[in-house]
């Protein structure tokens, strides 16, 4: 698609939605594995790179996408005409297929192919849509007649969870139309305000709070460039996806439903897809430099999408918006693995980092019976191999489709015709069946997952980054400053000389968020004979207290936040760790690079930070120069 100025702004996502040729190439999600009927206990949380249930047992998301409630209309012509819907499949503003098969039959099909969880897209428009669905849209489910789209969505959620499946709510689009082009759905706030988006999420999270098998909030789908502007990861403006997802994730956990996993997808596309101009699919690469820290550790999941026809720098377009960059299907197997690891899978592969978390490949897929391309088929086999190799969580796109005389879109794993006859993955003529079976039956980690050490980044770059539930409930502890506080149970272990970043952890000791705290702005606790940073201003915690946060004004230190620990947990002998002229994090520091491009200091795993030193002399900006690190008790 070309703008009035002639600038091409189409991405893979854009072209899929706006060009009929590309509409045959849907974005798909990774497919689920294992038996759906296996017992599990809600809610879900995370331990390092693993998702676990309430008993601490690994719960692998072997998911599929049941699309339709977010819309199938292409954006032009009558919504009543099937021809104006993606692939001619008119969902009627509700999950696809309810006109052709009873809910129970559809769900039985999911379980038959090994699904244990469903990514269930919705649009913000759907939430507020008061027009009842047509009788035709629910012809195979007459009990749903007269309901609004949201009420049908409720019924689908209820039936899925009653069957033992986990449900992940997915805010797919702003408007109820097919994703993902230059369509008013490029960002969470493309066709609505950020406030409205946040309020809708609080509404949905509260709506299903009592249904513990509703396990996740997938915050927004395929964040991407619109005609004029790119989304970004950390610039602090109205297009900052990192800041928006961080804020709404915390709001969901603190104001609506603390049980939900918070699922954050990477950025799908930036730049103008024209050879010679910058353009790429950043996916999860920015997470290495700037990761989320939620108020509740163990609730963050990252996600990414991969299709054969897109590429690390290819939009997926054919014709307008097509570049000479390789698509994923053009990469040799070893090169494909390297790219996938760089763009997403490193988040799970690298342990004890501030960014370590589960990664859910929430869309991947390919055409079925009529896909004859050798490269396309090879890509699918290679991608499934990598899902198996990495024991990854996944969701296939889509689960449900239409067929007539065994012809149709073909991407779905289960298809129904107008008479209600099903065409399934295992009917004997779908080339994907062996790869799917291999994925479902692949060995992977099962059983108990031991608790892990948490490493968390603090990033008060553009505003408060107070991740302590306890401190959030109290009055502002340094008005006018940007405040950063570790999640409850963690302590501050690292600071950067410039850039305002910090590192928290519960390594070698975790204390409940019960005791008191003190905001220190002077040297009142520096004792005679213990000047651990001569000539520098020292903000030191009192005996029995540890650093749990800090505040800044501009780039300058403003205050130290000190929390009390249980008696006997903290030692009193200490050392000074200088980092004003280079990194000083020990020989094998954990947590990863929490302030890329800046000098950093870090206490050892068996220490706690008890003070910050800085100087206001000429040429200095009162940024942190040293940490006072003391041994744990």
């Amino acid at each position: 698609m070309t703008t009035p100025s002639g600038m091409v702004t189409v991405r893979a996502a854009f072209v899929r939605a706006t060009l009929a040729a590309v509409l045959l190439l849907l974005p798909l999600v990774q497919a689920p594995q294992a038996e759906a009927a296996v017992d599990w206990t809600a809610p879900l949380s995370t331990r390092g790179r693993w998702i676990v249930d309430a008993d601490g047992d690994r719960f692998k998301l072997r998911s599929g996408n049941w699309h339709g409630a977010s819309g199938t209309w292409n954006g032009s012509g009558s919504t009543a005409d099937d021809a104006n819907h993606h692939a001619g499949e008119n969902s009627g503003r509700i999950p696809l297929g309810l006109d052709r098969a009873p809910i129970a039959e559809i769900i039985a099909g999911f379980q038959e192919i090994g699904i244990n969880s469903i990514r269930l897209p919705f649009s913000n428009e759907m939430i507020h849509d008061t027009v009842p669905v047509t009788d035709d849209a629910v012809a195979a489910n007459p009990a749903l007649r007269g309901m609004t789209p949201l009420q049908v969505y409720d019924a689908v959620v209820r039936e899925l969870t009653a069957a033992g499946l986990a449900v992940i709510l997915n805010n797919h689009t702003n408007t109820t139309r097919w994703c993902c082009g230059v369509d008013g759905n490029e960002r969470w706030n493309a066709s609505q305000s950020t406030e409205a988006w946040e309020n809708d999420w609080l509404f949905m999270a509260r709506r299903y709070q009592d249904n513990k098998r509703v396990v996740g909030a997938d915050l927004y789908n395929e964040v991407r460039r619109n005609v004029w502007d790119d989304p970004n990861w950390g610039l602090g403006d109205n297009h900052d996806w990192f800041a928006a997802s961080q804020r709404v994730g915390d709001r969901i956990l603190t104001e609506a439903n603390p049980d939900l996993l918070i699922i954050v997808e990477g950025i799908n596309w930036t730049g103008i897809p024209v050879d010679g101009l910058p353009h790429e699919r950043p996916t999860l690469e920015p997470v290495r430099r700037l990761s989320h820290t939620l108020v509740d550790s163990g609730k963050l999941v990252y996600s990414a999408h991969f299709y054969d026809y897109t590429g690390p720098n290819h939009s997926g377009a054919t014709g307008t918006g097509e570049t000479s960059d390789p698509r994923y299907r053009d990469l040799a197997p070893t090169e494909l693995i390297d790219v996938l690891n760089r763009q997403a899978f490193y988040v799970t592969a690298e342990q004890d980092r501030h960014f370590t978390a589960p990664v859910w490949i929430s869309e991947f897929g390919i055409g079925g019976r009529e896909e004859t391309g050798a490269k396309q088929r090879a890509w699918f086999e290679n991608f499934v191999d990598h899902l198996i190799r990495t024991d990854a969580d996944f969701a296939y796109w889509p689960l449900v489709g239409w067929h007539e005389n065994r012809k149709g879109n073909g991407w779905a794993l289960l298809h129904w015709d107008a008479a209600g006859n099903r065409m399934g993955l295992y009917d004997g003529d779908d080339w994907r069946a062996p790869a799917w079976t291999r994925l479902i039956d692949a060995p992977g980690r099962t059983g108990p997952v031991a608790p892990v050490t948490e490493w968390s980044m603090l990033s008060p770059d553009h505003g408060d980054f107070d991740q302590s539930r306890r401190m959030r409930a109290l009055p502002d502890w340094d008005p006018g400053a940007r405040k950063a506080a570790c999640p409850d149970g963690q302590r501050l272990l690292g600071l950067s000389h410039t850039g305002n970043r910090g590192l928290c952890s519960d390594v070698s000791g975790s204390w409940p968020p019960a005791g008191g705290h003190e905001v220190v702005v002077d040297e009142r606790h520096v004792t005679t004979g213990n000047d651990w940073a001569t000539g520098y201003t020292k903000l030191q915690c009192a005996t029995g207290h540890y650093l749990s946060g800090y505040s800044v004004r501009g780039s300058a230190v403003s205050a130290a936040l000190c929390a009390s620990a249980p008696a006997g947990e903290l030692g009193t002998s200490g050392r000074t760790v200088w980092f004003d002229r280079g990194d000083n994090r020990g020989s094998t520091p954990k947590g990863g690079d929490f302030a890329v491009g800046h000098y950093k200091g870090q206490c050892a795993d068996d220490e706690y930070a008890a003070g910050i030193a800085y100087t206001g002399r000429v040429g200095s900006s009162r940024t942190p120069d040293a940490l006072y690190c003391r041994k744990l008790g």
Side-chain angles (χ1 to χ4, degrees), residues 3-40:
T3 68
S5 65
M7 296 178 64
V8 178
T9 59
V10 179
R11 282 189 306 263
F14 301 162
V15 177
R16 290 198 298 268
T18 56
L19 300 179
V22 182
L23 286 174
L24 293 175
L25 300 174
L26 311 185
L28 306 173
V29 278
Q30 103 184 12
Q33 139 189 5
E35 301 174 2
V38 172
D39 289 337
W40 60 284

Side-chain angles (χ1 to χ4, degrees), residues 327-386:
R327 304 172 191 261
Y328 290 114
R329 68 187 179 218
D330 297 324
L331 304 178
T334 55
E335 187 179 8
L336 176 64
I337 290 171
D338 289 344
V339 169
L340 294 176
N341 289 342
R342 185 190 79 224
Q343 292 197 299
F345 289 85
Y346 77 91
V347 175
T348 60
E350 298 182 32
Q351 302 301 297
D352 287 321
R353 301 292 191 267
H354 62 82
F355 53 74
T356 303
V359 169
W360 185 37
I361 306 303
S362 58
E363 285 191 26
F364 85 101
I366 197 165
R369 291 159 176 79
E370 296 182 30
E371 177 55 79
T372 59
K375 283 188 175 182
Q376 288 87 332
R377 289 190 174 199
W379 171 85
F380 186 71
E381 299 283 354
N382 291 332
F383 191 77
V384 165
D385 285 344
H386 200 55

Side-chain angles (χ1 to χ4, degrees), residues 104-414:
E105 180 182 328
I106 294 173
I107 293 174
F110 298 162
Q111 294 173 318
E112 177 185 316
I113 61 175
I115 298 296
N116 69 3
S117 44
I118 298 295
R119 183 177 185 244
L120 196 62
F122 68 88
S123 73
N124 298 95
E125 183 181 4
M126 183 210 79
I127 296 173
H128 306 282
D129 189 345
T130 60
V131 178
V133 300
T134 65
D135 288 353
D136 287 347
V138 291
N141 294 272
L144 304 179
R145 289 178 179 172
M147 291 186 178
T148 67
L150 179 57
Q151 289 169 335
V152 174
Y153 191 93
D154 290 340
V156 168
V157 169
R158 185 166 57 249
E159 294 302 315
L160 287 168
T161 56
L165 297 170
V167 171
I168 295 94
L169 310 174
N170 164 232
N171 186 193
H172 209 69
T173 54
N174 294 183
T175 62
T176 306
R177 60 170 292 184
W178 184 252
C179 177
C180 297
V182 183
D183 53 11
N185 294 308
E186 300 87 357
R187 296 187 314 277
W188 62 99
N189 57 2
S191 297
Q192 61 189 356
S193 68
T194 297
E195 180 183 15
W197 175 67
E198 291 184 359
N199 288 338
D200 281 351
W201 257 123
L202 296 179
F203 170 82
M204 292 293 278
R206 290 171 182 145
R207 189 173 187 85
Y208 304 108
Q209 183 176 21
D210 293 335
N211 188 341
K212 299 306 178 185
R213 290 188 186 271
V214 176
V215 299
D218 185 351
L219 300 181
Y220 202 71
N221 182 72
E222 296 195 3
V223 173
R224 57 198 183 275
R225 181 185 177 93
N226 63 8
V227 173
W228 299 112
D229 298 301
D230 283 326
N232 67 79
W233 193 274
L235 295 184
D237 60 15
N238 195 41
H239 294 175
D240 184 346
W241 175 228
F242 169 81
S245 54
Q246 172 74 43
R247 175 180 160 84
V248 79
D250 281 337
R251 290 198 69 192
I252 290 169
L253 293 174
T254 57
E255 301 177 39
N257 190 341
D259 290 331
L260 293 178
L261 296 174
I262 302 300
I263 300 168
V264 182
E265 189 179 328
I267 293 178
N268 193 63
W269 185 263
T270 61
I272 301 173
V274 173
D275 285 338
L277 296 178
H279 53 267
E280 64 173 334
R281 296 186 68 242
T283 54
L284 293 175
E285 292 187 63
V287 174
R288 184 179 291 279
R289 300 172 64 94
L290 179 59
S291 64
H292 293 73
T293 295
L294 298 173
V295 292
D296 296 328
S297 299
K299 287 297 181 181
L300 174 67
V301 175
Y302 284 115
S303 74
H305 296 176
F306 291 101
Y307 299 98
D308 73 277
Y309 57 89
T310 59
N313 298 93
H314 201 299
S315 72
T318 56
T320 302
E322 186 171 11
T323 62
S324 60
D325 304 291
R327 304 172 191 261
Y328 290 114
R329 68 187 179 218
D330 297 324
L331 304 178
T334 55
E335 187 179 8
L336 176 64
I337 290 171
D338 289 344
V339 169
L340 294 176
N341 289 342
R342 185 190 79 224
Q343 292 197 299
F345 289 85
Y346 77 91
V347 175
T348 60
E350 298 182 32
Q351 302 301 297
D352 287 321
R353 301 292 191 267
H354 62 82
F355 53 74
T356 303
V359 169
W360 185 37
I361 306 303
S362 58
E363 285 191 26
F364 85 101
I366 197 165
R369 291 159 176 79
E370 296 182 30
E371 177 55 79
T372 59
K375 283 188 175 182
Q376 288 87 332
R377 289 190 174 199
W379 171 85
F380 186 71
E381 299 283 354
N382 291 332
F383 191 77
V384 165
D385 285 344
H386 200 55
L387 292 176
I388 294 171
R389 182 182 301 115
T390 57
D391 197 5
D393 299 87
F394 57 90
Y396 187 89
W397 179 287
L399 288 175
V400 177
W402 289 3
H403 82 95
E404 294 300 329
N405 299 318
R406 305 186 73 78
K407 301 290 185 181
N409 176 28
W411 281 73
L413 299 180
L414 302 168

Side-chain angles (χ1 to χ4, degrees), residues 498-573:
T498 54
N500 299 317
R501 299 284 174 83
L503 180 70
C504 305
S505 184
D506 58 3
V507 64
S508 303
S510 174
W511 303 293
H517 73 277
E518 182 183 17
V519 178
V520 177
V521 296
D522 54 32
E523 296 189 342
R524 69 186 68 182
H525 298 303
V526 179
T527 58
T528 303
N530 187 33
D531 188 347
W532 50 271
T534 303
Y536 286 72
T537 301
K538 294 166 283 293
L539 306 182
Q540 182 177 329
C541 297
T543 300
H545 289 65
Y546 60 95
L547 272 172
S548 63
Y550 55 97
S551 58
V552 295
R553 297 175 189 271
S555 59
V557 175
S558 177
L561 178 64
C562 301
S564 63
E569 295 290 344
L570 304 182
T572 57
S573 61

Side-chain angles (χ1 to χ4, degrees), residues 408-454:
N409 176 28
W411 281 73
L413 299 180
L414 302 168
H415 299 79
W416 280 266
D417 68 13
N421 300 307
R422 195 187 81 170
M423 178 177 71
L425 176 67
Y426 290 114
D427 287 353
D429 58 348
D430 194 323
W431 68 271
R432 299 170 299 178
W436 181 261
T437 301
R438 191 168 77 250
L439 179 60
I440 294 300
D441 293 342
R445 178 163 185 169
T446 60
V449 177
V452 300
T453 297
E454 299 284 350

